[in-house]
Amino acid sequence: MPEPLHPPELESAFRSEVAPAGSPGLRELVGMVAAAIAVAALYFGREVLIPVTLAMLLSFVLSPLVELLRRIWLGRILSVVLAVVLALGLILALGSAIGTQVAQLSGNLLQYQATIETKISGLRKATIDKFSAKLGSFASQLTGSPPRSEAPAPAPAGTPAQGRQQTPVPVVIAQPAASVLNIGKSVLEPMLYPMATAGIILVVTIFALLQKEDLRDRAIRLLGSGDLHRTTVAMDEAGRRLSRYFLTQLGLNASFGIIVGAGLYFIGVPNPLLWGILGTLLRFVPYVGSWIAAALPIVLAAAVEPGWSMAIWTAVLYTVTELVIGQAVEPLVYGHSTGLSPVAVIITAIFWTWIWGPIGLIISTPLTLCLVVLGRHIERLAFFDVLLGDRPALTPTESLYQRMLAGDPDEAEEQAERYLADQPLSSYYDEVVLQALRLAANDILRGALEPPRLERFVASMDELIYDLGERTDLPSETAEAEKTEVEGAADRIASPGASAARGEIADDRLAPEWQTETPALCIAGRGELDELAARMLAQLLGGHGLNARVVPYEAVSRTRIGALDVAGVAMMCISFVNAGGSTARLRYLLRRLRERQPHTRLLLGLWPAQDTEPVDGDLRRTLGADFYVTSLREAVRTCLAEAHQVPRRQIRLVTGAQEADR
């Protein structure tokens, strides 16, 4: 049995540290209990939390106005008071307008009710009654019996007349005279709770605006004073995004109300001001608010005139306005995204409606937006960003690995197409595919990847690599057109295959030993994952005009290496995805290859790059390879430099890689 290499630190360069999977610990259990307590507190404390939350959100809306007033030298207190007074005046004006319009509308309700009853009766005669008559006629034809008469049957003889029955004695209950105290209680009691809530919101809003900096500092201390930079950025971004979101939504909803009100005025629907204001307010309710606002005007339009044209035009007005604002204007104004997942918006709307009722539905989106912003900057709250944010839950590497484990190369190829839209193929292989192979190697080491699933993973990955072989490792046409003459000459040296495709022959620049059918031999260092990496390297070399052949690990074993065909091979490229904790296997493989072909150059690729890259002199002397690389891009550059007999610093791959001389 071979002795392990010395010194021992060389072994650690290849060792994979993988923590075994475990069951949820005490920290996870405490988190679940804390989440349950928080939900219970939100539900049972809603009488206090709802006004405070509304006040804090209102302070975010008024904060830009306060800052604007402070810039014109009004002072903090005067600016806050003036902003709150303006907001309160606007709210009272809207309430007064709504009350006046409702009072005007209630005077004509009897007339509208008669029109609606007439239309409903006409619809019933045209649909239900007509269908019932046809159904009865069809049934009588089937049974052969005449249709039933709807006339009442005569009363049997001997039945006493109705007038002969005893008349019951009426019972009269006399109510005591209502006192002034009872009248005042019945009038003021329903108004007491809304007035108290409004007072709490007003007071908390004023103090939140006056103590804005102090509340921010306390929130920073509570959320994480250990990293003041990230916490400060999170708080500032949360306040900025909430203020911008509220103001933008207010502007869009007001535009919706103005358009709807003006349209209803020209259509002829009564009280267009009322429906414009309600349209503005109800549109704050996500998804269903605008359609709820449309229901009453459509019913009213149907009640105003005997025909249906007004109702149809009203429905068209609401539908077109909502579609234009919701599908065209809002994506442009919000930048195509508010940072929230669409599914998360629906789920949180249901959650906050269950916890806080209709108020929770209205404020669900801004509350969720605030949680997502905090989750993006504060590590302890990162789960909010994962659950509610619109950023991908998995990295491209994790997504590819999951799709390969599920045996779905089609979706993986679709992901690759999106990545390759602005990146070269070698970048995708280095940054995504090789990292996915590393994840698979770690799972194999800890026994989490069973042989059947590993076989499916390898087959799916091999299919993906084969499908991507049709792509060239070339830049886009725009980048190609922007190259200087010097860069174009360097590309023609680096990629003779691409030059030949453009009609420029560069094969005469190849070194004599590289002018063979397959000058490169890509060898799998150990197993199936290494063979996949070797296939990717051979594919990239072929795209740059250097044909390569892939050799599995079994072909270079002790018993079979003598039969290995190495005729015309100028470079042997050994691929290792994960060395598995010992360099002995790697050392003896390189020794066998050196003995089999002494004059052939050896390139050792260890991908992806380990924490300690194997580039130190001791490791190089121990293993005995000629070149050491940690990326496929670097391996291709090395082979091209050797094939054209130029220094590697003069090789600029068309992948756009930076120049490097390792």
Side-chain angles (χ1 to χ4, degrees), residues 53 179 189 247 254 274 285 303 314 434 439 485 646:
T53 304
S179 64
E189 194 172 36
L247 293 177
L274 172 63
V285 179
T314 303
L434 286 181
L439 294 178
E485 184 178 353
V646 295

Side-chain angles (χ1 to χ4, degrees), residues 112-173:
Y112 298 153
Q113 181 180 358
T115 306
I116 288 292
E117 290 177 353
T118 303
K119 287 190 174 182
I120 293 176
S121 177
L123 286 175
R124 182 177 179 181
K125 291 180 180 179
T127 56
I128 299 177
D129 293 347
K130 190 174 182 180
F131 177 75
S132 299
K134 290 185 177 181
L135 185 62
S137 175
F138 180 71
S140 63
Q141 292 178 3
L142 290 178
T143 58
S145 59
R148 294 183 179 180
S149 175
E150 300 297 332
T159 302
Q162 186 69 21
R164 299 175 185 174
Q165 295 180 354
Q166 284 188 334
T167 303
V169 179
V171 178
V172 179
I173 301 176

Side-chain angles (χ1 to χ4, degrees), residues 278-302:
L278 290 181
T280 300
L281 298 178
L282 288 175
R283 203 173 182 276
F284 282 97
V285 179
Y287 299 111
V288 298
S290 57
W291 307 115
I292 295 175
L296 289 177
I298 293 175
V299 173
L300 180 61

